[in-house]
Amino acid sequence: MYGTTPVLDLPRFEVAQGERWLVLGLSGSGKTTLLHILGGLLRPTQGTVVVADQDLGALREDALDRFRGRHIGIVFQENHLLPTLTVEQNLLLAPYLAGLPQDRARVREVLRHLDLEDRAGAFPDELSTGQRQRVGIARAVMNRPRLLLADEPTSSLDDVRSARVLDLLFREAEAIGATLIVTTHDRRVQERFERRIELAPPVSA
Amino acid sequence: MNLFSLSFSYLRRRPLLTLLNVLLLALGLATIVVLLLLGRQVEDRLTRNAQGIDLVVGAKGSPLQLILASIYHMDAPTGNIPVREAQAVMQNRAVRQAIPLSLGDSFRGYRIVGTTHAYPQHYGAEVAAGTLWEAPYEAVLGARVAAETGLTVGDTFAGTHGLSAGGEAHGAHPLRVVGLLAPTGTVLDRLVLTGTETVWALHGDEAAGTHPGDGAGAAAHRPGREYTALLIQYSSPMAQALFPRFINSQTNLQAAVPAFEISRLTNLLGVGIEAIRAFGILLIVAAALGVFVALTTALQERRYDLAMMRTLGASRAMLMGHILLEGVMLSLAGTAVGLLLGHGAAAALGARVRQAQQMDLTGWTWVDAEGALILLAVAVGLVAALIPALQAYRADIARTLARG
């Protein structure tokens, strides 16, 4: 829990544009909290977060929402696509909510990239788990964010799938020149990242 | 993609629940629309037909019945009054104009009224074709009667005994149509007008079993000539204080004041109307609760969706707008269906129910209060969506996502 007791106390660290970082830690160590703070979903009780030269703490709520929508893409473990919208509509939601022009060509491009071209008109519950996750990645990269965050993207996958998802994340991040930060407790993936932060296990349970 | 299609997608996702909420609101609104439409029209017909008639004099009985029978032609008359007594009233100084009416016969359910030319003139009726009646057995048809029966100038028809269709026919004494009236929007439209003598001739001579020969002359000398009622206009407003009392106490006749009887009638109806109106409001409140419950439970299921939207850049105000829009869309749909339903129901009532037909009621008219009703319905949707929308506004996205 965050709030009065700090769960996470990190020294200053800097990630250069385009780098790939892994945040490694056991569950409860604050990985998700860190990711939320980096993504501007949560404000740190102390300290500052600077993303793409913008101090997130200096932004008011609405401006922070907009900044996040435009410059930060987040891939969640459960990729909660909106169940009432088709794949294409889910992807168009990203530019719409971020106040960017809704570029259908970009939707096709992203879907082609993720091998989902023929599923544009499908609803989320008509997709396989793997397809849903790919749509989740597609949505995160729709607006060509500067920072791509992924929370436990491989935890529930077998070795083959986990490798494939990482491949996709690397490829997409590279395609748009985004910095990639992935959190995981999954040690299988650590050798693929050149840099990592290891979070200490929770102080007490 | 926009807020509208986003909100709509959620409504479409739950068609049954959406339909239920829309219908609930629609039924409430329809109830009130029917009341507004019929109430306004009944009031309009009641006052328009009674315009300029200060007093009705007829046989003793229920004053309300006398008014209904002689002004609106909706009820059976209280009886007849002898011409001699009627004439004393007509010649009273307090009376500026008295229009005699003689009832008793009908043609295909339309009443045949024996009267004078003053009757159509009172309602400002214009002759659309032919002329007014001059001789016995000449008749003039109201616009509605002409349209429904297809009779025109020169045609003949036989009236029947009694005021409703299906009585015994006066086959031997057909009436000839000499004129058609233009529509007046009053009770005249569904009456067949003829001279008083014609009604007397039909009745008096049939009773005597003789043929009337050539008209009024023969019938006019018969004893027992009667009027059914007199429509009276005072020569001075002073008369209203004393004249009705004079008639009621000094003669065997009855005087009824239309304005008084109408307000008595609307007061009686008022209780029922209030009850129905309360029922309509109850339905609208139920609809508001329905929308509120639907949105609140939806919010529980959708908190992750909402958090996702925030993650993608939606502001809190946008989420609030998204939920409010859903409430407004529900209420707008309910309003549209409700108005249609209300007007349709009023039209069906006007077309199917005999009493409503007599009043010439329709559903295809607009009452100004409906505008206020639309605003009310939209406000209901907004208010019902407000609390869920505020919850969406306040939701802590990080906490939701972390828990998810």
Side-chain angles (χ1 to χ4, degrees):
Chain A
M1 284 297 113
Y2 41 85
T4 45
T5 27
V7 290
L8 199 58
D9 201 352
L10 280 180
R12 173 190 173 86
F13 69 98
E14 246 176 87
V15 177
Q17 184 66 42
E19 282 181 345
R20 298 181 295 212
W21 283 62
L22 186 68
V23 177
L24 202 56
L26 295 172
S27 43
S29 59
K31 298 187 299 292
T32 297
T33 303
L34 176 61
L35 192 98
H36 286 171
I37 288 173
L38 293 178
L41 294 170
L42 192 64
R43 290 178 190 269
T45 42
Q46 271 184 338
T48 52
V49 179
V50 178
V51 173
D53 300 324
Q54 172 66 53
D55 177 3
L56 298 189
L59 293 172
R60 289 193 27 235
E61 200 72 15
D62 291 0
L64 181 59
D65 288 330
R66 177 139 299 196
F67 182 85
R68 177 174 56 242
R70 291 186 175 184
H71 302 298
I72 303 173
I74 307 179
V75 180
F76 294 96
Q77 186 181 352
E78 296 281 336
N79 274 296
H80 284 266
L81 304 170
L82 300 202
T84 60
L85 302 180
T86 63
V87 167
E88 185 186 33
Q89 289 169 328
N90 262 290
L91 294 192
L92 284 174
L93 202 59
Y96 167 64
L97 293 178
L100 297 169
Q102 297 176 45
D103 182 354
R104 280 169 198 278
R106 172 68 180 156
V107 171
R108 281 194 297 278
E109 181 188 18
V110 170
L111 287 179
R112 185 160 14 89
H113 235 229
L114 290 165
D115 206 16
L116 287 163
E117 277 167 298
D118 53 335
R119 308 308 327 248
F123 283 93
D125 56 9
E126 297 164 355
L127 301 176
S128 69
T129 314
Q131 285 173 333
R132 268 204 292 277
Q133 184 153 33
R134 297 211 301 278
V135 177
I137 294 172
R139 184 175 60 185
V141 301
M142 258 305 283
N143 297 341
R144 298 190 176 86
R146 304 282 300 276
L147 173 61
L148 186 58
L149 302 172
D151 191 17
E152 301 269 17
T154 61
S155 58
S156 57
L157 304 177
D158 59 37
D159 292 356
V160 180
R161 285 169 199 276
S162 139
R164 200 179 294 154
V165 166
L166 282 180
D167 285 344
L168 284 178
L169 284 172
F170 285 5
R171 204 179 70 198
E172 290 306 311
E174 197 166 5
I176 56 175
T179 305
L180 175 66
I181 299 180
V182 174
T183 69
T184 191
H185 65 272
D186 183 0
R187 293 202 170 262
R188 289 178 299 180
V189 304
Q190 58 179 305
E191 63 275 11
R192 298 193 56 179
F193 290 83
E194 56 264 41
R195 294 162 198 280
R196 65 173 172 255
I197 303 169
E198 249 182 275
L199 299 181
V203 192
S204 61
Chain B
M1 202 30 53
N2 53 51
L3 217 53
F4 183 84
S5 53
L6 193 59
S7 291
F8 183 70
S9 77
Y10 279 95
L11 293 178
R12 198 185 43 195
R13 175 90 169 169
R14 289 274 171 84
L16 217 61
L17 193 65
T18 301
L19 193 72
L20 190 75
N21 281 319
V22 166
L23 272 185
L24 211 54
L25 186 61
L27 286 176
L29 280 177
T31 309
I32 293 183
V33 165
V34 168
L35 280 181
L36 282 176
L37 283 175
L38 298 188
R40 169 61 58 86
Q41 290 182 72
V42 167
E43 194 186 314
D44 178 67
R45 304 292 186 271
L46 287 179
T47 50
R48 204 188 311 173
N49 286 320
Q51 204 126 52
I53 299 173
D54 296 321
L55 191 72
V56 178
V57 173
K60 292 251 189 244
S62 148
L64 182 56
Q65 189 186 350
L66 178 61
I67 298 289
L68 287 176
S70 5
I71 294 184
Y72 306 109
H73 297 277
M74 289 182 75
D75 203 347
T78 47
N80 284 336
I81 56 177
V83 167
R84 196 164 25 81
E85 288 180 43
Q87 246 143 20
V89 172
M90 292 163 90
Q91 280 150 17
N92 191 297
R93 254 186 307 157
V95 175
R96 184 172 70 194
Q97 177 182 260
I99 303 169
L101 302 179
S102 302
L103 303 175
D105 291 339
S106 63
F107 171 62
R108 294 196 199 161
Y110 297 107
R111 291 185 176 188
I112 298 173
V113 180
T115 182
T116 65
H117 290 179
Y119 190 44
Q121 275 153 17
H122 174 79
Y123 288 112
E126 287 174 15
V127 179
T131 59
L132 291 180
W133 69 94
E134 295 297 342
Y137 301 110
E138 288 184 348
V140 170
L141 306 184
R144 180 81 171 270
V145 182
E148 297 278 316
T149 61
L151 291 179
T152 182
V153 176
D155 291 344
T156 56
F157 64 96
T160 52
H161 274 306
L163 296 178
S164 51
E168 184 205 333
H170 288 288
H173 313 296
L175 299 182
R176 194 163 58 83
V177 179
V178 295
L180 307 177
L181 295 180
T184 58
T186 68
V187 69
L188 279 193
D189 293 352
R190 33 180 199 86
L191 294 179
V192 176
L193 302 184
T194 184
T196 307
E197 318 77 46
T198 306
V199 174
W200 287 343
L202 285 172
H203 283 257
D205 295 318
E206 267 194 3
T210 61
H211 200 269
D214 56 4
H221 294 294
R222 295 188 162 277
R225 293 174 309 163
E226 289 174 323
Y227 293 130
T228 306
L230 303 176
L231 306 181
I232 286 174
Q233 206 165 36
Y234 295 140
S235 48
S236 127
M238 302 285 282
Q240 70 191 28
L242 295 172
F243 194 63
R245 206 179 302 165
F246 160 73
I247 299 275
N248 286 329
S249 58
Q250 304 295 314
T251 71
N252 285 324
L253 307 176
Q254 172 185 220
V257 181
F260 177 71
E261 296 303 326
I262 292 167
S263 75
R264 208 161 66 97
L265 179 65
T266 44
N267 280 342
L268 285 172
L269 291 177
V271 181
I273 289 174
E274 280 307 313
I276 301 173
R277 194 197 309 274
F279 180 65
I281 290 170
L282 201 70
L283 283 176
I284 291 179
V285 170
L289 281 175
V291 171
F292 172 73
V293 168
L295 289 180
T296 307
T297 50
L299 216 60
Q300 289 305 311
E301 290 159 23
R302 277 157 63 180
R303 64 205 156 83
Y304 216 104
D305 295 7
L306 292 170
M308 209 62 222
M309 291 180 205
R310 286 288 301 284
T311 305
L312 291 173
S315 64
R316 291 180 301 179
M318 209 163 174
L319 293 197
M320 194 168 159
H322 164 55
I323 301 295
L324 283 180
L325 190 60
E326 244 173 272
V328 170
M329 282 164 80
L330 277 174
S331 58
L332 277 179
T335 308
V337 175
L339 286 180
L340 216 64
L341 218 61
H343 283 267
L349 277 173
R352 294 281 168 89
V353 180
R354 198 173 55 88
Q355 282 80 356
Q357 284 172 346
Q358 289 180 343
M359 289 263 221
D360 217 358
L361 301 182
T362 168
W364 310 121
T365 173
W366 178 260
V367 177
D368 286 341
E370 287 179 69
L373 207 56
I374 293 175
L375 289 181
L376 176 84
V378 174
V380 160
L382 269 178
V383 168
L386 196 62
I387 292 174
L390 279 173
Q391 282 172 347
Y393 184 88
R394 293 213 193 104
D396 183 332
I397 37 174
R399 202 170 283 233
T400 305
L401 290 170
R403 220 184 284 151

